[in-house]
Amino acid sequence: MNASPDGLMGYVQRFPVRFDECARDGAARASALFRYVVETAFAHSTAKGFPLAWYDTRGLHWVVRRARIDLHSTVPYGALLDVATRVVAFRRIWAQRRNTIQDITGRFVGEVALDWIFTDRDGNPTRIVPEMAAAFPDLAERVEIDRLDLGEPPANVHSEEFLVPGHQTDPRGHMNSAAYLDLFEDALVGLDVDPQARPARYDLEFLRAVVPGEVLLRSVWAELNGWAMIGSTSAGVAVVKGRRTALNAGERIGTRQGDRAGEGV
């Protein structure tokens, strides 16, 4: 993976699409692109002087709270992708990154807005430290934090159990954010929906961390313009919400009424 320092495009890192990241159509899954974006954010943090060891020593960490993922076209196995990331806003415990994904010909294949929350060792939100705020100056954009409102699943929707596996955890010991996208897409396949169809938009909100061995209840149902998912604990506490909708040609993040920019490292 090649990386370039900050510039007009932000921090850029290159990824090859691997065989195990592709679905049966030979194209990258949405979760693979999501992982590239998160990896680029942490690589940017490292380049700014905040590597993983810095966070571990201080008991601090960024966690994704909200994701808006626009996927404009399929990306085949072996393609080289340039992921660009930039921090566009800070607010006490919260930050946002905007991310773009292009192939090496310059073809624009995706855009992702991530809202992140700064947390302490116990996972509680905490104020962003001054040295980190100083490393990302001149953030002129003002953005709002929004929520994903799905309502309750219809009464006739059956919830399926999912045991959180150890291999889907991140360095904090929590289920990886991109793994929830896999969980959503696995359910869509079972409903005869092709999650590889493009263009498409995913909206995700992460509400609570879960650890290996926990049981999640996954509820997925059709909406007027797409599909919705809620993952909750066995006690009914919501962990994650998700929505998949069609994406109009040329549509970008922030162009729909109610869209706002989102969270970042």
Side-chain angles (χ1 to χ4, degrees):
M1 293 176 289
N2 301 318
S4 66
D6 290 67
L8 292 177
M9 295 295 293
Y11 183 88
V12 182
Q13 188 155 266
R14 178 167 291 179
F15 298 86
V17 176
R18 303 184 312 180
F19 179 82
D20 64 307
E21 296 171 327
C22 295
R24 291 190 64 181
D25 64 350
R29 294 182 177 89
S31 61
L33 303 181
F34 190 6
R35 287 181 169 93
Y36 299 162
V37 167
V38 172
E39 170 59 27
T40 303
F42 279 103
H44 189 198
S45 177
T46 298
K48 286 288 191 178
F50 306 100
L52 187 59
W54 183 92
Y55 294 101
D56 289 342
T57 299
R58 293 160 178 79
L60 300 171
H61 207 64
W62 287 101
V63 296
V64 178
R65 175 59 184 262
R66 189 82 160 79
R68 301 158 195 80
I69 305 169
D70 282 6
L71 303 173
H72 293 271
S73 58
T74 58
V75 183
Y77 163 67
L80 296 178
L81 297 177
D82 289 331
V83 179
T85 186
R86 61 189 181 95
V87 180
V88 298
F90 273 144
R91 183 186 295 177
R92 293 183 297 177
I93 64 170
W94 167 90
Q96 178 180 86
R97 283 182 178 270
R98 292 286 184 89
N99 312 269
T100 59
I101 307 170
Q102 294 179 301
D103 66 17
I104 58 174
T105 71
R107 182 174 63 108
F108 183 77
V109 299
E111 182 180 23
V112 180
L114 291 182
D115 299 343
W116 304 70
I117 299 293
F118 202 51
T119 64
D120 62 20
R121 195 180 304 276
D122 296 323
N124 300 311
T126 191
R127 187 176 292 271
I128 297 168
V129 296
E131 59 265 41
M132 182 167 287
F136 299 93
D138 304 323
L139 302 179
E141 292 191 36
R142 284 193 58 83
V143 293
E144 308 252 348
I145 302 174
D146 66 347
R147 306 297 296 270
L148 182 57
D149 183 13
L150 299 180
E152 294 297 322
N156 62 344
V157 171
H158 173 69
S159 297
E160 297 180 314
E161 289 190 352
F162 172 80
L163 182 67
V164 177
H167 72 273
Q168 292 283 24
T169 55
D170 60 24
R172 292 296 302 274
H174 303 150
M175 185 168 167
N176 184 274
S177 301
Y180 293 102
L181 190 48
D182 285 325
L183 186 67
F184 193 0
E185 293 200 329
D186 286 347
L188 294 177
V189 170
L191 294 167
D192 293 326
V193 178
D194 181 10
Q196 293 293 97
R198 305 286 185 265
R201 170 174 289 178
Y202 283 99
D203 285 292
L204 299 165
E205 184 177 12
F206 305 95
L207 302 170
R208 177 187 179 275
V210 295
V211 298
E214 281 196 70
V215 175
L216 292 182
L217 299 177
R218 177 184 61 189
S219 301
V220 178
W221 66 96
E223 296 186 314
L224 180 62
N225 296 313
W227 294 84
M229 178 193 75
I230 292 179
S232 59
T233 67
S234 56
V237 178
V239 171
V240 63
K241 298 179 180 180
R243 171 178 282 138
R244 177 191 166 100
T245 54
L247 188 65
N248 297 324
E251 189 174 359
R252 300 286 299 274
I253 286 176
T255 60
R256 286 185 180 176
Q257 184 178 4
D259 279 357
R260 299 180 179 89
E263 285 170 342
V265 173

